[in-house]
Amino acid sequence: MQDKDVLRLQVFLAKCGVASRRASEKIIADGRVQVNGCIVTEMGAKVSPGDKVSVDGVSLRPEGCLRYILLNKPSGYVCSLSDEKDRPVAADLLKEHYKERLYNVGRLDMFSSGLIIFTNDGDFAARLSHPSAELEKEYIVQTSVPLPRTLAAEFQHGMRIDDVFYRCLQAHELNSHKISITLIEGKNREIRNVFSHYGVGIKSLTRIRIGAVTMAGLASGQFRELSGQEVTALLNLCKN
């Protein structure tokens, strides 16, 4: 057996698509990982070929193929691997086509639609989703009432709502009821909270771009695999 066949436990978990290496360290520290039937909490633990590793009682094996899937999520689907309220789950749109355990990179709320990436590469997911990546995400918002004339400029300048600071990278009005907004961080329900602050109802909120990746004719509910060039381009755009 060669040294390259021996992996640190957190690296092994990332290769199995459990989480990023950093997130896997917390999973280990929480006592959720067993190696050959014994709970292991040490960060320096290593795994050799033939070792039996499980998380929360579920056996793991390294993914033979790393997947990077771009989904145009329809409105009405939640971004989680399961839902206690039995609502439709976005990952279910991929289950019939991929045997790997795929999880979403970032989130779109249930009533938002558009682009979201699914992967089994924990390190890739961690790079893209970390706030320090400052990866651009562009949204089109359609409103039920005319846009306030000051909304775009004030959102770009930055504002504080309920002790949370919101600022978009760019906001550009397309017409009286439609606006393009680009975020580089994306706090929880950021766009919806800002529009609610102005008393503006949202008819639809759609993410149309992640970095340099766009819908490019991808209809609602459809998906495709990202090319190697697209994966590399996304990582190169990350500032972390």
Side-chain angles (χ1 to χ4, degrees):
M1 182 177 62
Q2 299 181 6
D3 289 342
K4 68 181 179 62
D5 296 323
V6 179
L7 299 174
R8 286 179 295 136
L9 186 53
Q10 58 266 43
V11 175
F12 179 85
L13 296 185
K15 287 183 176 293
C16 290
V18 173
S20 69
R21 297 183 194 188
R22 181 170 296 179
S24 293
E25 290 177 355
K26 185 177 188 307
I27 293 173
I28 295 168
D30 288 344
R32 297 169 55 191
V33 181
Q34 289 189 343
V35 178
N36 298 325
C38 298
I39 294 175
V40 176
T41 57
E42 296 82 15
M43 292 303 117
K46 295 185 177 180
V47 179
S48 301
D51 285 340
K52 296 180 180 179
V53 182
S54 64
V55 174
D56 298 331
V58 179
S59 297
L60 303 177
R61 62 179 178 81
E63 296 286 4
C65 179
L66 293 178
R67 299 287 188 182
Y68 309 91
I69 312 298
L70 183 70
L71 169 70
N72 184 353
K73 184 187 88 70
S75 176
Y77 284 76
V78 296
C79 289
S80 61
L81 296 182
S82 61
D83 185 69
E84 59 184 16
K85 298 180 181 178
D86 291 326
R87 295 173 296 185
V89 176
D92 288 345
L93 297 171
L94 307 175
K95 281 186 177 179
E96 292 184 5
H97 304 272
Y98 299 98
K99 69 180 187 300
E100 295 87 359
R101 178 181 179 273
L102 302 172
Y103 51 95
N104 45 285
V105 180
R107 291 178 179 271
L108 284 171
D109 68 50
M110 181 176 179
F111 299 108
S112 298
S113 61
L115 299 182
I116 188 162
I117 295 172
F118 282 80
T119 187
N120 57 349
D121 184 340
D123 289 334
F124 172 81
R127 281 282 305 279
L128 264 63
S129 59
H130 197 277
S132 65
E134 297 187 3
L135 186 65
E136 292 186 10
K137 303 175 186 68
E138 183 179 356
Y139 303 79
I140 298 295
V141 183
Q142 291 188 315
T143 62
S144 55
V145 297
L147 290 160
R149 295 278 70 87
T150 61
L151 189 153
E154 290 176 353
F155 198 0
Q156 278 191 196
H157 179 73
M159 64 184 71
R160 188 169 295 277
I161 303 172
D162 295 332
D163 293 327
V164 180
F165 186 73
Y166 299 109
R167 181 167 59 195
C168 67
L169 178 66
Q170 188 175 44
H172 175 64
E173 289 188 26
L174 303 175
N175 59 42
S176 63
H177 288 70
K178 184 186 291 188
I179 186 171
S180 165
I181 295 175
T182 302
L183 302 177
I184 58 173
E185 181 178 350
K187 297 181 174 71
N188 184 39
R189 296 178 62 84
E190 177 164 353
I191 293 175
R192 293 191 184 277
N193 290 341
V194 169
F195 277 61
S196 177
H197 174 73
Y198 284 92
V200 176
I202 292 178
K203 290 178 64 177
S204 66
L205 196 166
T206 305
R207 182 191 285 162
I208 64 168
R209 179 173 65 87
I210 302 173
V213 177
T214 66
M215 283 187 175
L218 200 64
S220 179
Q222 291 186 338
F223 57 88
R224 66 174 178 85
E225 295 198 22
L226 294 174
S227 67
Q229 185 176 10
E230 287 175 318
V231 171
T232 299
L234 285 169
L235 290 172
N236 287 340
L237 285 171
C238 293
K239 296 182 180 180
N240 52 359

